Amino acid sequence: MSAFVIDAFEFCRNSGHREGTTPVAEMTRLAADCVDKSGEIRWSIDGGLTKQGYPSMTLAVAGPVKLVCQRCLTPMEYEIDSSTVLVLGKDDEDADGIEEVLDDESIDVIVGSRECDIRQLLEDEALLALPQAPKHEVCPDTKLLDTLKTEKVSPFAALKNLKPE
């Protein structure tokens, strides 16, 4: 069994702790959203119990990734810094029941596993931390964008070519 595969329930019951660093290149889904695969994600995962006694894990991920600015289409560095609490249910029905009891939108309830690959959970958290439309605060080179703004063309300009003579 891999060092990344844990019994999630046992991990929580024993207040387990793991931390490490994973290259972005090894997180294939995250790397697919990046301009390049450089960088590393620092992570930690802590097991425990909620005040109601449900098994829970706190995941934290942080590190730089390179994304494409949606305004100027040039590479930009984005710093991932996110953490979340996952509460574990034994099955879908149990998870739904726990969600009703907790009634807290900030806590995610998932179905736990005796063979849980924490790499998947950590990569999911990193992906959820990415902005939907990454943008520089101030784009470094706006020449292309500026020319597009100044060349205002009427949307009806092309219609004059269609007019019969």
Side-chain angles (χ1 to χ4, degrees), residues 88-100 109-111:
L88 309 179
K90 293 177 183 78
D91 53 35
D92 286 329
E93 189 177 315
D94 188 36
D96 290 343
I98 292 170
E99 213 160 40
E100 283 183 34
V109 181
I110 65 170
V111 175

Side-chain angles (χ1 to χ4, degrees), residues 21-67:
T21 305
T22 302
V24 171
E26 289 181 17
M27 296 179 154
T28 54
R29 294 177 295 144
L30 178 62
D33 283 353
C34 297
V35 174
D36 69 38
K37 296 170 178 42
S38 65
E40 293 182 327
I41 302 297
R42 296 175 311 284
W43 55 267
S44 67
I45 184 167
D46 292 293
L49 301 174
T50 66
K51 60 185 174 203
Q52 297 87 352
Y54 299 120
S56 69
M57 294 190 291
T58 302
L59 280 66
V61 292
V65 292
K66 289 201 172 71
L67 304 174

Side-chain angles (χ1 to χ4, degrees), residues 73-147:
L73 301 178
T74 61
M76 63 173 276
E77 192 158 293
Y78 180 79
E79 187 70 30
I80 291 175
D81 188 6
S82 180
S83 68
T84 193
V85 175
L86 300 176
V87 176
L88 309 179
K90 293 177 183 78
D91 53 35
D92 286 329
E93 189 177 315
D94 188 36
D96 290 343
I98 292 170
E99 213 160 40
E100 283 183 34
V101 170
L102 295 178
D103 193 30
D104 185 345
E105 293 292 318
S106 68
I107 297 174
D108 292 316
V109 181
I110 65 170
V111 175
S113 168
R114 301 256 177 231
E115 292 183 6
C116 176
D117 188 339
I118 60 173
R119 291 175 296 195
Q120 296 298 314
L121 295 177
L122 295 164
E123 187 171 13
D124 288 346
E125 184 59 25
L127 284 165
L128 290 170
L130 296 178
Q132 282 187 319
K135 295 180 189 127
H136 288 106
E137 288 288 323
V138 176
C139 291
D141 182 14
T142 58
K143 283 183 258 174
L144 177 61
L145 190 59
D146 292 342
T147 57

